[in-house]
Amino acid sequence: MSTALVADGFPEEQVRRRARHGAGAVFPAEADYGTGLLGAAPRGLPAAPGPAAGPGGHDPDDELEQIRIVPPVFMPERLKKLIALAREPLYSDVELDTVVGGFTSRLPLYVSAFGSTRAASHDLGEAAGRQAGALGIPLVIGENVVPVNGYRSADEAGASPLLGRIAAYAAAADDEHGGVVVQQSTEDADAEVWNLVYSDPVTEPLLATGRLAFELKVGQGAKPGLGGLTLLDRETAGQVAEQYSLDEVFGAGGDRVLRVASPGTFTEEILRQQIRLMRNNFPRARVWVKLHPGRDVAHAAATAWAAGADSVTVDGAEGGTAWAPTGFLAHVGLPLADCLRRVGRTDHCLLASGRMWEGTRAVKALALGARAVGLGRAALLAVDEDREAGLTRLVEALALELRMLTSAVGKYHVNALDPEDLLLPGRWERGPAAPGAA
């Protein structure tokens, strides 16, 4: 390698990496596949995996992080709670239960889809499912799990990653809270995933209690406009070559091949018809729709709700657990705050995901109109830390912060959070004058 030239102030190492590796350098380091959880990174830092995003993992360039939560001095809702309780209310009196996509959830949280990458391994997926079920929050299972891993194990006796996660969730859950959501994209439709799940005895208890949903995946925050991308060894790639396109981005002699899934084609009418088909073909299942952070996200969400969707998930550009080109992670798609602002507050169920892991970010998203927020990378990291109780402890911490923050603005149900509880960037303006003030 020549080192005669230097280029201060220019991304020299990134250019050299592309010169060394060609098309493969469009992606994060190949050695990080299966261990790195990818998502947008702050300016000046490489896309994940990489250094933490500032103190406490916050990104100062993320607008949602710039928003401040602003408690009032006078709190009439606190007075109402005081009268109802016949004592001064505490943060422990805040109620967190809500309805998420037609499911009764103990908390305004759900576990986001992990997809089919190696990072969401068999045991991690089941651990997340088991803990989510016990917590009483919904679990979303990502697309392409069946086309890549099969619906059942080779001997038809064991459970595939899809069925394993569903069974683990159902065994830990009660009959009233939470629910399982199964995504489907183009290749899943070819494999008839929803048909298989809908008629499987494993899911009958969920169907009988109204706790199964199917989610139409229109896109995702990590790579808006692209389909799923994963790395496969050559033997596995050969097994799925009929279902997927394969790209030799790491060279024909490399050990791995890029598996490319179709993003699907949507127009307003196609989306409307897809939702109607879902409602007609699977009448006992709830209908969810997942959108990438596109510039017309408000129109797409309104179209989905008008067609009968029980829930719309907006995955901000900060989201992602899978494999994506680094340029997409840093430069493509609307930030979550902008998505929420465009969609606005609505009586419909809007879900939000994108770098969710602690209470302040969740409260801001809820106040801007989300009914619940999704844990993706945070959930995977939590179960990787502790298979038995990592996610449970993470959610316990989140619940405490949600109660404290909601109480701090003088409200006692998380659904009562409102934009008035926030100060948006660029709005450092003086509040209304006191009565009689000059």
Side-chain angles (χ1 to χ4, degrees):
M1 178 182 71
S2 172
T3 57
L5 299 178
V6 295
D8 293 339
F10 192 77
E12 179 183 345
E13 178 50 37
Q14 288 93 319
V15 173
R16 290 186 180 278
R17 183 168 179 266
R18 292 187 176 208
R20 290 193 299 270
H21 301 291
V26 170
F27 298 89
E30 185 181 350
D32 293 322
Y33 182 75
T35 58
L37 303 181
L38 304 180
R43 295 173 195 165
L45 294 180
H58 293 289
D59 177 0
D61 293 320
D62 183 336
E63 186 180 340
L64 206 59
E65 300 295 345
Q66 297 173 28
I67 295 172
R68 292 190 66 85
I69 300 166
V70 285
V73 175
F74 300 126
M75 300 183 180
E77 294 302 314
R78 180 170 290 181
L79 175 61
K80 291 180 182 178
K81 193 70 172 178
L82 182 155
I83 294 170
L85 295 173
R87 62 168 172 80
E88 283 286 351
L90 303 171
Y91 66 78
S92 55
D93 296 311
V94 172
E95 298 175 53
L96 299 180
D97 61 295
T98 190
V99 177
V100 179
F103 301 149
T104 301
S105 180
R106 294 187 186 276
L107 299 156
L109 305 171
Y110 63 96
V111 176
S112 298
F114 300 151
S116 57
T117 59
R118 196 177 66 194
S121 65
H122 200 293
D123 58 336
L124 284 184
E126 290 191 13
R130 184 166 51 254
Q131 292 178 55
L135 287 163
I137 62 175
L139 169 75
V140 184
I141 301 176
E143 93 289 7
N144 293 325
V145 175
V146 170
V148 173
N149 300 295
Y151 187 67
R152 296 191 184 278
S153 64
D155 61 3
E156 293 292 317
S160 68
L162 176 66
L163 291 180
R165 293 180 204 180
I166 294 174
Y169 184 97
D174 61 28
D175 292 336
E176 299 179 11
H177 297 93
V180 172
V181 186
V182 179
Q183 273 186 4
Q184 181 169 284
S185 59
T186 303
E187 287 78 13
D188 293 298
D190 292 340
E192 298 189 341
V193 171
W194 286 344
N195 286 325
L196 292 169
V197 170
Y198 196 71
S199 60
D200 198 296
V202 171
T203 60
E204 179 54 35
L206 296 171
L207 277 171
T209 53
R211 294 179 298 133
L212 181 69
F214 292 147
E215 182 172 71
L216 177 65
K217 183 182 176 182
V218 178
Q220 66 186 81
K223 39 188 179 289
L226 288 183
L229 302 173
T230 61
L231 295 186
L232 302 177
D233 60 69
R234 292 199 167 274
E235 180 180 355
T236 305
Q239 295 171 3
V240 300
E242 292 186 4
Q243 292 98 342
Y244 294 97
S245 175
L246 303 175
D247 196 341
E248 298 278 5
V249 297
F250 300 106
D255 295 331
R256 285 175 170 164
V257 178
L258 181 69
R259 188 222 69 192
V260 182
S262 167
T265 301
F266 289 91
T267 63
E268 183 178 344
E269 183 60 23
I270 289 174
L271 178 59
R272 195 161 34 229
Q273 292 298 336
Q274 287 270 35
I275 294 170
R276 288 173 180 167
L277 282 171
M278 293 168 69
R279 292 176 63 84
N280 289 335
N281 293 347
F282 311 107
R284 301 171 67 196
R286 299 287 185 175
V287 174
W288 288 30
V289 175
K290 182 175 184 177
L291 302 176
H292 66 248
R295 61 179 186 260
D296 54 353
V297 64
H299 182 46
T303 300
W305 283 319
D310 294 289
S311 178
V312 171
T313 299
V314 174
D315 197 17
E318 303 88 346
T321 57
W323 192 246
T326 53
F328 271 72
L329 296 172
H331 299 287
V332 181
L334 293 174
L336 181 57
D338 199 33
C339 291
L340 293 171
R341 190 164 48 246
R342 293 188 185 208
V343 176
R345 292 187 65 80
T346 173
D347 292 335
H348 299 291
C349 182
L350 174 67
L351 307 181
S353 55
R355 200 183 285 141
M356 293 292 171
W357 65 276
E358 51 82 37
T360 60
R361 188 174 181 85
V363 162
K364 294 170 189 178
L366 296 170
L368 288 172
R371 184 77 59 81
V373 298
L375 304 176
R377 280 170 288 176
L380 268 179
L381 288 170
V383 295
D384 185 53
E385 178 68 21
D386 185 336
R387 302 291 203 275
E388 297 303 317
L391 178 59
T392 300
R393 295 194 191 102
L394 174 68
V395 168
E396 286 173 351
L398 260 166
L400 176 62
E401 290 176 307
L402 289 171
R403 287 192 167 94
M404 287 181 164
L405 291 163
T406 304
S407 172
V409 296
K411 295 176 179 178
Y412 290 88
H413 197 292
V414 71
N415 288 348
L417 291 167
D418 186 87
E420 70 177 0
D421 301 317
L422 307 177
L423 181 66
L424 305 181
R427 290 184 57 192
W428 296 99
E429 57 188 28
R430 187 174 67 178

